[in-house]
């Protein structure tokens, strides 16, 4: 399988598209100013304790305080607080992490109000990015991911991926970690470490330890709230997670990011340096690799399947809804068989859409009704199997008698939305406009309200086309007629940002007229 990473840099954002055999399988965006990302480390300050939630709110510099639940405190929270207290002192010495290790561990069923009663400064890591009106969620169970290992400070646990099944290989990796792991650091050996040389695994461990040293130094430098560490960009994150022998191409259209990726590849996989290239053509990089075409098809509200059936995907505040429709798919005369085949085909696209758009939270799928229990079970099993490759935690229910299947998918950030349409000036993005009214009648109505309230002068702001109409005529224009009728002097102003049905009224002081409270 050929994998290609295409990176498109624009004025204020970076878009990353991962292709497998030319087919889009992952899409990420990083907007300038995205300062709160999963995995970032912050030095925060406990602001508010919520005993009823068994949680606290932590100030980390976001407009909304971060949420820290007791279950995310880590058994070693008392040692973490000792660590924070030490490094909060002026000119604190950098000392071995083992110095903070004590036998004190908090209970799994304790109360956060007892552990963080003094509202201390605390080291936290973002586990869920802010979305909607919620701030970020943070944890004290830290992890620093590398290519082959994950470093877990304040722990002594060593674990090896269950997908590594060869006993000799497990023992080899265990030996490497035991010989090179510093005290009071845990290690999770990733599947990618299988077959890698001792030197590669050791170097990856050293890289993770360097990141931790940076965090330690920054805790002593910056008072809370402060960001201590963040990965430079999502391109590096994707490469760390996914770079494999079947990666054939990495193409970037911006020199600084090209140099960053080149440097990273040189560090972790020097044999892959030749696959990185700089895109210099005038044509858009996403057009050249036909990514825009796939984005337009895949991120629409309506997504068509090969059979002619289609999905409708809609987000609400509380959940995400997917509706399966048979459309033109009438391959079988038997309605039950046709519904079953359409639903089975829909499962593959639904699994792809959930990963591609990174949809999280509660998801409800309205499948086409099937009467046979075996068919409903087969559809549920198919979706479950297809979702096994998804790294997010997922729980799937069975299909109800109403054809509804509910599932939850771990949400660490807002779902990706791709805007490939122009803004509609008439409906302002709502899809609806006010019922058409006679322009003269609307002006007459509002001017009548204003004249009764003693207004003698008014400015009317309208679209240039409407202004032309109001001034049209030889002896009697609509504007003169209305001004004379209501004994109000009217100053007409153009505003091409208004749509044709919007009219703004202002008095001589520039105050805007409110129809609900008509006194200017």
């Amino acid at each position: 399988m050929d994998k290609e990473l295409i990176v498109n840099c624009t004025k204020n954002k970076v878009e990353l598209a991962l292709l497998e055999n030319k087919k889009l399988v992952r899409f990420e965006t990083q907007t300038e100013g995205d300062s709160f990302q999963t995995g970032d480390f912050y030095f925060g300050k406990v602001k508010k304790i919520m005993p009823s939630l068994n949680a606290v709110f932590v100030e980390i510099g976001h407009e909304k305080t971060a949420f820290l639940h007791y279950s995310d405190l880590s058994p070693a929270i008392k040692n973490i607080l000792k660590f924070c207290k030490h490094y909060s002192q002026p000119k604190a010495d950098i000392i071995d992490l083992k110095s903070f290790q004590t036998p004190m561990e908090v209970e799994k069923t304790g109360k956060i109000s007892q552990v963080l009663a003094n509202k201390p400064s605390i080291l936290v890591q973002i586990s869920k990015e802010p979305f909607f009106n919620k701030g970020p969620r943070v944890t004290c169970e830290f992890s620093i991911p590398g290519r082959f290992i994950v470093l877990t400070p304040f722990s002594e646990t060593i674990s090896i991926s269950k997908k590594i099944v060869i006993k000799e290989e497990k023992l080899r990796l265990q030996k490497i970690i035991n010989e090179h792991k510093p005290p009071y650091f845990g290690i999770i050996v990733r599947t990618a470490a299988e077959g890698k040389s001792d030197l590669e695994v050791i170097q990856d461990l050293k890289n993770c330890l360097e990141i931790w040293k940076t965090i330690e130094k920054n805790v002593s430098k910056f008072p809370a709230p402060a960001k201590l560490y963040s990965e430079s960009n999502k391109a590096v994150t994707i490469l760390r997670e996914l770079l494999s022998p079947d990666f054939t191409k990495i193409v970037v259209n911006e020199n600084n990011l090209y140099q960053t990726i080149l440097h990273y590849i040189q560090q972790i996989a020097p044999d892959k340096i030749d696959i990185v290239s700089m895109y210099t053509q005038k044509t858009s990089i996403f057009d050249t690799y036909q990514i825009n075409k796939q984005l337009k098809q895949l991120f629409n509200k309506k997504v068509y399947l090969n059979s002619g059936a289609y999905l409708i995907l809609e987000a609400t505040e509380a959940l995400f809804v997917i509706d399966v429709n048979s459309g033109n798919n009438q391959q079988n005369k038997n309605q039950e068989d046709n519904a079953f085949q359409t639903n089975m085909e829909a499962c593959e696209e639904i699994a792809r859409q959930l990963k591609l758009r990174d949809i999280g939270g509660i998801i409800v799928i309205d499948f086409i009704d099937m009467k046979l229990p075996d068919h409903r079970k087969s559809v549920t099993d198919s979706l479950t199997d297809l979702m096994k490759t998804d790294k997010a935690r997922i729980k799937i229910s069975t299909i109800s008698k109403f054809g509804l299947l509910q599932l939850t998918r771990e949400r660490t950030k807002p779902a990706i939305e791709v805007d490939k349409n122009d803004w509609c000036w008439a409906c302002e993005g709502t899809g609806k406009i006010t019922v058409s009214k006679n322009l003269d009648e609307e002006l007459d109505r509002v001017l009548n309200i204003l004249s009764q309230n003693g207004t003698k002068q008014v400015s009317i702001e309208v679209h240039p086309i409407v202004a032309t109409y109001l001034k049209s005529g030889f002896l009697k224009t609509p504007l003169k007629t209305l001004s004379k009728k209501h004994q109000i002097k009217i100053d007409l102003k153009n505003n091409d940002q208004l749509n044709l049905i919007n009219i703004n009224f202002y008095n001589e002081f520039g105050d805007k007229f409110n129809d609900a409270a008509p006194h200017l």
Side-chain angles (χ1 to χ4, degrees):
M1 181 184 292
D2 288 342
K3 287 184 180 179
E4 299 171 304
L5 181 65
I6 313 301
V7 185
N8 178 38
C9 296
T10 61
K11 187 176 180 180
N12 59 357
K13 68 178 176 180
V14 178
E15 297 176 313
L16 304 105
L18 181 65
L19 307 178
E20 290 182 358
N21 294 333
K22 309 298 180 184
K23 191 175 183 179
L24 184 67
V25 295
R26 182 167 175 175
F27 182 74
E28 296 269 358
T29 61
Q30 185 174 18
T31 305
E32 187 178 333
D34 278 355
S35 55
F36 296 87
Q37 299 181 52
T38 303
D40 289 355
F41 282 84
Y42 282 83
F43 194 33
K45 176 73 176 174
V46 175
K47 282 292 181 184
K48 189 175 184 180
I49 299 173
M50 302 292 291
S52 60
L53 299 175
N54 206 12
V56 295
F57 288 103
V58 183
E59 177 61 50
I60 63 171
H62 190 265
E63 59 182 348
K64 296 277 186 179
T65 50
F67 181 81
L68 174 63
H69 191 266
Y70 183 87
S71 60
D72 295 317
L73 276 186
S74 160
I77 184 61
K78 291 181 180 179
N79 297 333
I80 293 170
L81 292 174
K82 283 178 63 180
F83 169 90
C84 294
K85 187 176 181 180
H86 169 79
Y87 283 112
S88 296
Q89 297 171 1
K91 299 181 180 179
D93 295 329
I94 303 295
I95 58 178
D96 198 295
L97 197 62
K98 189 181 179 181
S99 305
F100 302 104
Q101 187 177 8
T102 68
M104 299 184 298
E105 287 197 353
V106 297
E107 299 176 3
K108 291 183 179 180
T109 55
K111 294 182 179 180
I112 203 165
S113 55
Q114 295 174 349
V115 180
L116 302 177
N118 298 325
K119 297 185 178 179
S121 295
I122 186 170
L123 179 65
V124 294
Q125 186 177 21
I126 292 184
S127 58
K128 290 186 180 181
E129 294 177 20
F131 53 87
F132 297 117
N133 59 347
K134 297 179 181 178
R137 181 160 183 163
V138 293
T139 181
C140 292
E141 297 192 274
F142 309 130
S143 61
I144 300 172
R147 268 195 87 198
F148 309 125
I149 63 106
V150 177
L151 185 70
T152 57
F154 300 97
S155 170
E156 286 285 4
T157 304
I158 299 174
S159 60
I160 297 176
S161 170
K162 292 180 180 178
K163 293 182 181 179
I164 301 176
V165 294
I166 301 172
K167 186 178 179 180
E168 291 77 11
E169 181 65 2
K170 282 191 171 186
L171 291 172
R172 182 184 76 89
L173 293 168
Q174 181 90 34
K175 184 181 177 184
I176 296 170
I177 299 305
N178 285 334
E179 289 177 356
H180 295 89
K181 181 188 79 69
Y184 211 28
F185 283 95
I187 301 286
I188 301 168
V189 180
R190 307 177 78 165
T191 310
E194 187 173 14
K196 299 301 176 184
S197 69
D198 293 14
L199 187 62
E200 286 178 297
V201 177
I202 293 166
Q203 185 57 52
D204 197 45
L205 173 57
K206 287 180 179 178
N207 291 340
C208 291
L209 287 170
E210 282 299 318
I211 292 171
W212 177 252
K213 287 178 183 177
T214 301
I215 294 166
E216 277 186 322
K217 289 176 184 176
N218 288 339
V219 171
S220 61
K221 280 183 184 178
F222 305 110
K227 180 189 282 190
L228 304 179
Y229 176 78
S230 177
E231 283 196 316
S232 55
N233 55 66
K234 288 186 178 180
V236 169
T237 304
I238 290 174
L239 289 172
R240 186 192 64 228
E241 292 176 2
L242 302 174
L243 189 64
S244 58
D246 50 2
F247 245 86
T248 56
K249 191 180 290 184
I250 301 170
V251 189
V252 192
N253 68 343
E254 197 272 331
N255 186 57
N256 289 336
L257 188 53
Y258 166 72
Q259 295 296 337
T260 301
I261 292 173
L262 201 65
H263 177 69
Y264 182 71
I265 295 292
Q266 208 157 18
Q267 283 185 317
I268 65 167
D271 57 312
K272 285 281 184 182
I273 198 74
D274 293 337
I275 69 172
V276 186
S277 63
M278 178 75 183
Y279 184 83
T280 56
Q281 298 178 33
K282 291 183 178 179
T283 312
S284 165
I285 187 171
F286 271 17
D287 285 337
T288 299
Y289 289 92
Q290 297 188 333
I291 294 166
N292 279 330
K293 182 180 179 181
Q294 292 193 58
L295 286 173
K296 188 174 182 181
Q297 292 171 344
L298 294 172
F299 282 86
N300 280 340
K301 177 181 174 181
K302 182 183 285 189
V303 177
Y304 283 94
L305 308 178
N306 292 332
S307 64
Y310 61 90
L311 309 177
I312 299 290
L313 300 98
E314 292 209 62
T316 72
E317 181 74 17
L319 48 84
F320 197 93
V321 182
I322 302 175
D323 184 28
V324 182
N325 293 274
S326 58
N328 298 324
N329 182 19
Q330 299 295 332
Q331 296 177 1
N332 295 289
K333 292 182 180 179
N334 184 293
Q335 185 178 352
E336 175 71 15
D337 290 343
N338 197 66
F340 173 65
Q341 288 186 11
T342 302
N343 288 336
M344 289 292 284
E345 183 187 19
C347 285
E348 186 174 350
E349 187 59 35
I350 289 168
R352 185 185 181 199
Q353 288 288 333
L354 294 180
K355 289 183 283 187
L356 197 57
R357 301 189 190 210
D358 205 4
I359 299 166
I362 301 171
I363 299 151
V364 177
I365 304 170
D366 183 9
F367 284 107
I368 301 170
D369 288 343
M370 297 173 291
K371 294 180 181 178
L372 298 179
D374 287 349
H375 282 173
R376 291 199 292 269
K377 185 178 185 303
S378 295
V379 170
T380 304
D381 291 345
S382 175
L383 185 62
T384 303
D385 289 340
L386 289 163
M387 296 302 294
K388 283 181 179 177
T389 57
D390 196 330
K391 291 186 177 181
R393 288 196 292 268
I394 295 169
K395 292 182 180 178
I396 300 177
S397 71
T398 56
I399 297 177
S400 72
K401 63 180 180 180
F402 302 111
L404 300 178
L405 181 144
Q406 300 170 68
L407 65 92
T408 59
R409 184 175 183 272
E410 180 185 27
R411 174 159 55 190
T412 58
K413 57 186 176 181
I416 295 173
E417 294 291 339
V418 176
D419 184 9
K420 294 294 178 185
N421 299 308
D422 290 331
W423 181 260
C424 175
W425 58 266
C427 71
E428 297 179 343
T430 64
K432 299 178 181 180
I433 63 171
T434 307
V435 177
S436 299
K437 298 178 182 178
N438 184 285
L439 182 63
D440 293 352
E441 289 181 1
E442 179 64 7
L443 285 167
D444 189 41
R445 182 186 72 81
V446 177
L447 289 170
N448 182 53
I449 294 172
L450 295 174
S451 65
Q452 289 179 6
N453 286 284
T455 303
K456 298 297 181 184
Q457 185 174 337
V458 67
S459 294
I460 300 177
E461 193 176 54
V462 294
H463 190 277
I465 293 174
V466 177
T468 301
Y469 161 73
L470 291 174
K471 292 187 289 187
S472 64
F474 181 59
L475 295 175
K476 274 190 173 183
T477 68
L479 197 64
K480 288 180 180 179
T481 302
L482 290 166
S483 177
K484 185 177 181 180
K485 177 180 178 180
H486 298 288
Q487 297 297 300
I488 294 178
K489 184 180 178 181
I490 301 173
D491 180 22
L492 193 63
K493 295 181 178 180
N494 293 348
N495 184 348
D496 58 8
Q497 298 301 309
L498 289 176
N499 64 45
L500 293 174
I501 61 171
N502 279 4
I503 307 169
N504 293 333
F505 296 84
Y506 302 88
N507 68 3
E508 62 268 30
F509 305 109
D511 298 322
K512 190 174 181 180
F513 168 73
N514 184 344
D515 209 345
H519 293 281
L520 277 171

